Amino acid sequence: MKNIRNFCIIAHIDHGKSTLADRLLDFTKSVTERERKEQLLDNMDLERERGITIKSHAIQMVYTYKGEDYVFNLIDTPGHVDFSYEVSRSIAACEGALLIVDAAQSIQAQTISNLYLALENDLEIIPVLNKVDLQSANPDEVTDDIVDLIGCKREDVIRASAKEGIGIEEILNAIVERVPAPKGDPDAPLRALVFDSVYNPFRGIETYFRVFDGSIKKGQNIKFVATDKNYSADEVGTLKLVQFPKKEIKAGDVGYLITGIKNAKDVKVGDTITDAENPTKNAVAGFEDVKPMVFAGIYPVETDEYEELRTAMEKLQLNDASLVFVPESSAALGFGFRCGFLGMLHLEIIQERLEREFDMTVITTVPNVSYNAFTLKDKDKPIIVSNPSDLPEPTYLDRVEEPFIKASIITKSDFVGSVMSLCIEKRGQITNQTYLTQDRVELSFDMPLAEIVFDFYDRLKTVSKGYASFDYSPIGMRKSKLVKVDVLLNGNTVDALSALLHVDNAYDIGKRICEKLKELIPRQQFDIPIQAAIGAKIIARETVKALRKDVTAKCYGGDISRKRKLLEKQKKGKKRMRQVGNVEIPQEAFMAVLKLND
C-alpha cells in the first residue's frame, strides 16, 4: 500500500486539466503512440468540442521514482458547477489533489469551491501553475495569489505548461513525495466507495470504486449499502486505458467491478460496497441522492415519435443516472416528458445528445426550478411544484417557498458595480465582499435559483467583459411571493409557455414575453391577440395583425362605395375566421422567454 498514490486534478473550466492528464499519461508511458490523442480521457465528441469534462474518468499509471515503482490512480473530475456532487465523491476517494491555476487567468470561482471541498477531505494540495509559456502569463503575480489562497511557500508552486510538456517530471515527483500513501486495514471487512459508474451495452453497469478497508475478490458476494442489494462480483480489475481483470483489488487501490446490473438507478454514486456475509459497520460518509435542480418539458416535434423519445431517454439514463423524467401531456405540444436536470449545462448536454446520438429533434419548454407550495388546508405539508401548471389556485394557496443559492462571483474590481446591479436585478442580496488582490474581488450573494436558470450566466459574462467567474451552492428553501403567469394565444392558454414569476417582475416579464412572441409568431389571415394573464387578470397584450389580400385591386375607378362594399365583405369573412382560427407556434417561441434581453 505504501507505493500507491491516489490523486485528482481540480481546476476551473479551461485551465488545462485534460491536457495535463494527457501529459502525465505520456510521461509515464501509460499510452502507446498509437493510442495517443488530445483530451484522451474525454470520450464524448461533445466534451472535445466544448473543451469540458462532463463524465469523470479514472486511469492507473506506473511511475518509477528512485528505482521504485509507484502506482498512481488519477481520478479525473468534471469541471462544471452542475456536477459538484460527482466532484465531491471523486475527491473523497483521493489523498491528494493537483490544484491547477492558469497563469494568464489566475484563480477563478470554481478553483476556490473545489479547493474548499478538497481541504474539507484533508487532501494534500499540490499547487501547479499551468500555461507559463503564454505571452499573457503573469507567473509571479499568480504565484502570490496561490500562496495567499492556500498558505503554502512560493517554492511549493510548480510551474508547468501541459501543452509544451514543461514541469511534468516535477509534478510526478511531487505526487510521490507529498501525497500520503492510502491508509486502511487490509484485514477488516470490505469497505469501498463508488465514485462513478458507466453503462456498457454488453455487460451492464461498470462500477468504479476505491477500496478503503479489506479487499474485493472475483466471485465474492457483495452488497451495496444504500440500495441494500446483494450481487456477485463477476469481474474486478484495474483501470488502464483498457480494463485489466484481476483476482483481487486490495485496500488503498482503485478498480472497476462488473456485476451484470442492468439499471443505472441500482448503482448510486457515493454508495458503499461491502461484503454480503461480513458487512462493515461504518459506511463511507457523505452519500446523498442527487436531486435535480432544474426542470423542463421535452416533447417530440412529431407526436408519433413519443415512444422513440422514451427509448432514447431510457438509454441516456443508463449512462447518466442523474437524469430524471416522468411522462406529461400538454394541450399545445401533445405527449412528452417532464425532465429533471442538475443545471442548465446538463439540460443543454441532454438535448444535444438526443439530437446527435438518437437523431431526435425535440422541443424544450422554458426551464424552471422546483418549488414548495403550501395550501390553506395543509400549512405544514408541502406540495412539490416542478411544473407551473401544478401550482394550486391562488384562492387555496397559503405560501410558496423557492430554492435559494449562495453565489460566489470573482471579478476584476472595475466591474464590481455592473455585477452588483445585475445580481440585485435578479433579486440577489449581497452577503460579503472580499478583495483577493488589489484588482480581484470575490462577491457573495444569496439569490433565488430560478433567477440564474434563465440568462444570468450569459449576462454576467457580458457585463464583466468575460472576466467574471461564477460558482454556487444550494442553501435551502425560503418563502417568496410568486405568481403563475399564463400566456394566451387567440384566447387559448398555452400551458407550455406558463411560468412562475416573482410578483415584482411579473408585469415586466409578461409584457416582454408578449412583445417577443409578437416577433416570432407568423402572421395569419386573422388577427391574433397575445395576452399575459395572472389568474383572470390580463396584464399585457400585443396583437399580430392579419395578412390582408388586396380585394380592391380589381376596382378601376368608379364610385368609392364599390371599394367599400368589397372591404366590408372582407371584414365579415375575417370575423368568421377569427372564431375558428388555430395558431401555429414556431419552435423558437417556446424558448423565447430565455432570450428576453436579446
Side-chain angles (χ1 to χ4, degrees):
M1 221 194 305
K2 69 178 188 3
N3 285 16
I4 296 176
R5 297 289 183 271
N6 298 321
F7 68 99
C8 60
I9 303 180
I10 50 180
H12 191 74
I13 296 168
D14 212 22
H15 279 202
K17 186 159 55 96
S18 296
T19 316
L20 182 71
D22 290 349
R23 290 297 83 76
L24 295 176
L25 292 170
D26 291 347
F27 200 90
T28 54
K29 299 192 171 51
S30 303
V31 286
T32 60
E33 280 293 330
R34 234 177 82 189
E35 294 164 330
R36 182 182 297 174
K37 58 182 175 183
E38 293 294 310
Q39 288 170 266
L40 187 71
L41 295 180
D42 293 345
N43 298 346
M44 281 185 246
D45 294 342
L46 204 57
E47 292 181 309
R48 292 165 182 283
E49 283 167 27
R50 290 186 173 217
I52 53 175
T53 303
I54 296 166
K55 194 100 177 93
S56 52
H57 298 270
I59 194 160
Q60 194 174 78
M61 308 171 243
V62 177
Y63 178 61
T64 309
Y65 176 70
K66 292 185 178 170
E68 257 189 281
D69 280 354
Y70 287 85
V71 173
F72 285 2
N73 287 310
L74 162 61
I75 298 173
D76 196 11
T77 57
H80 199 273
V81 60
D82 282 5
F83 307 108
S84 56
Y85 174 66
E86 284 183 29
V87 175
S88 78
R89 295 301 83 206
S90 295
I91 285 174
C94 300
E95 278 82 32
L98 295 180
L99 175 73
I100 296 182
V101 179
D102 188 324
Q105 294 182 31
S106 190
I107 292 160
Q108 304 282 335
Q110 268 157 343
T111 321
I112 291 184
S113 70
N114 287 348
L115 172 68
Y116 287 156
L117 268 178
L119 291 172
E120 276 171 32
N121 283 287
D122 293 332
L123 264 62
E124 179 62 41
I125 309 290
I126 300 174
V128 177
L129 191 61
N130 196 17
K131 306 190 185 180
V132 289
D133 58 316
L134 293 181
Q135 287 183 338
S136 57
N138 295 325
D140 296 329
E141 202 178 299
V142 180
T143 304
D144 290 340
D145 293 352
I146 296 173
V147 170
D148 290 346
L149 180 67
I150 60 175
C152 62
K153 300 190 181 91
R154 281 185 71 91
E155 54 271 21
D156 289 347
V157 180
I158 300 170
R159 296 191 176 192
S161 164
K163 202 164 190 183
E164 301 298 324
I166 302 165
I168 304 300
E169 193 169 355
E170 287 90 323
I171 293 171
L172 289 164
N173 293 346
I175 293 168
V176 175
E177 290 162 9
R178 298 194 215 167
V179 175
K183 295 182 182 71
D185 183 351
D187 304 320
L190 168 66
R191 186 168 74 104
L193 167 73
V194 175
F195 62 83
D196 199 10
S197 65
V198 182
Y199 178 70
N200 178 333
F202 306 108
R203 312 195 62 182
I205 302 287
E206 296 171 359
T207 310
Y208 296 168
F209 62 85
R210 146 82 202 268
V211 183
F212 284 104
D213 294 326
S215 67
I216 184 166
K217 301 179 185 68
K218 185 180 175 174
Q220 182 178 351
N221 276 339
I222 52 152
K223 176 178 157 186
F224 285 90
V225 174
T227 53
D228 201 22
K229 289 189 177 172
N230 293 6
Y231 299 99
S232 166
D234 296 342
E235 183 177 310
V236 294
T238 51
L239 292 149
K240 303 230 169 148
L241 203 57
V242 289
Q243 295 168 340
F244 275 83
K246 289 197 169 174
K247 292 266 190 324
E248 183 178 20
I249 304 282
K250 294 180 178 160
D253 213 346
V254 171
Y256 72 91
L257 161 74
I258 295 175
T259 51
I261 300 172
K262 293 285 184 286
N263 193 342
K265 288 197 186 85
D266 294 343
V267 178
K268 294 181 185 291
V269 171
D271 197 354
T272 305
I273 304 174
T274 187
D275 188 59
E277 277 85 42
N278 181 16
T280 179
K281 299 282 187 293
N282 49 343
V284 181
F287 169 74
E288 55 185 72
D289 272 323
V290 183
K291 293 185 185 68
M293 303 290 275
V294 174
F295 294 84
I298 289 187
Y299 293 86
V301 175
E302 301 292 332
T303 30
D304 55 358
E305 288 178 355
Y306 173 72
E307 282 305 323
E308 287 171 44
L309 179 61
R310 181 198 289 276
T311 314
M313 298 283 272
E314 281 168 355
K315 283 184 181 165
L316 273 184
Q317 202 177 33
L318 291 171
N319 270 316
D320 185 350
S322 47
L323 169 68
V324 181
F325 64 92
V326 289
E328 75 167 1
S329 63
S330 146
L333 297 171
F335 291 103
F337 297 98
R338 168 82 15 191
C339 307
F341 306 96
L342 298 174
M344 286 302 285
L345 177 80
H346 192 202
L347 184 151
E348 277 178 45
I349 287 163
I350 295 291
Q351 204 177 339
E352 188 105 355
R353 287 183 69 184
L354 281 170
E355 289 188 8
R356 284 183 182 205
E357 295 172 27
F358 302 98
D359 206 16
M360 295 286 314
T361 313
V362 292
I363 293 174
T364 313
T365 63
V366 181
N368 63 291
V369 300
S370 175
Y371 301 93
N372 284 353
F374 296 85
T375 54
L376 290 165
K377 260 188 197 170
D378 217 339
K379 292 188 181 183
D380 301 324
K381 197 176 172 201
I383 299 167
I384 294 166
V385 179
S386 57
N387 188 348
S389 58
D390 299 341
L391 190 75
E393 288 298 314
T395 42
Y396 303 116
L397 202 58
D398 177 50
R399 67 186 191 281
V400 180
E401 291 179 351
E402 64 174 330
F404 267 67
I405 55 156
K406 185 172 193 57
S408 118
I409 297 167
I410 295 179
T411 182
K412 286 197 162 182
S413 48
D414 313 357
F415 306 118
V416 169
S418 48
V419 169
M420 272 191 184
S421 55
L422 169 66
C423 291
I424 289 162
E425 180 198 324
K426 296 281 187 187
R427 299 192 282 135
Q429 295 169 331
I430 188 156
T431 55
N432 199 358
Q433 179 177 352
T434 326
Y435 275 81
L436 300 171
T437 64
Q438 282 184 333
D439 62 343
R440 291 171 67 73
V441 189
E442 182 179 8
L443 301 168
S444 297
F445 288 89
D446 285 357
M447 292 173 75
L449 178 64
E451 295 289 345
I452 65 159
V453 164
F454 287 167
D455 53 355
F456 178 75
Y457 199 64
D458 297 345
R459 285 184 64 198
L460 178 67
K461 288 287 183 197
T462 310
V463 298
S464 65
K465 302 197 173 138
Y467 277 109
S469 64
F470 169 68
D471 190 76
Y472 68 85
S473 55
I475 52 172
M477 310 293 277
R478 295 188 187 175
K479 190 178 169 185
S480 198
K481 283 187 176 174
L482 295 166
V483 288
K484 181 173 141 202
V485 176
D486 288 315
V487 175
L488 291 84
L489 287 183
N490 212 17
N492 300 323
T493 306
V494 182
D495 51 1
L497 289 171
S498 298
L500 283 176
L501 303 170
H502 193 264
V503 171
D504 301 346
N505 303 340
Y507 286 83
D508 178 41
I509 293 180
K511 188 173 189 311
R512 287 186 1 226
I513 290 174
C514 290
E515 286 167 358
K516 195 80 180 171
L517 289 174
K518 186 184 175 185
E519 294 167 22
L520 292 169
I521 288 176
R523 290 170 72 186
Q524 317 274 341
Q525 291 286 332
F526 49 90
D527 281 2
I528 307 169
I530 302 169
Q531 295 161 310
I534 297 174
K537 184 182 178 189
I538 304 292
I539 57 170
R541 170 176 171 139
E542 294 287 333
T543 308
V544 178
K545 286 310 223 182
L547 288 167
R548 285 178 171 267
K549 184 179 168 191
D550 189 0
V551 287
T552 58
K554 59 177 182 272
C555 280
Y556 294 107
D559 195 347
I560 186 72
S561 59
R562 287 178 63 202
K563 282 189 177 177
R564 199 165 285 149
K565 183 179 152 193
L566 288 167
L567 288 169
E568 287 297 324
K569 191 177 169 189
Q570 185 187 34
K571 201 190 270 181
K572 275 182 191 164
K574 289 279 178 206
K575 259 187 187 162
R576 203 161 51 243
M577 280 179 82
R578 187 188 306 156
Q579 289 160 9
V580 293
N582 285 330
V583 185
E584 285 186 356
I585 309 173
Q587 192 175 338
E588 301 83 66
F590 293 104
M591 296 306 275
V593 185
L594 297 186
K595 301 187 175 71
L596 289 179
N597 291 302
D598 289 5

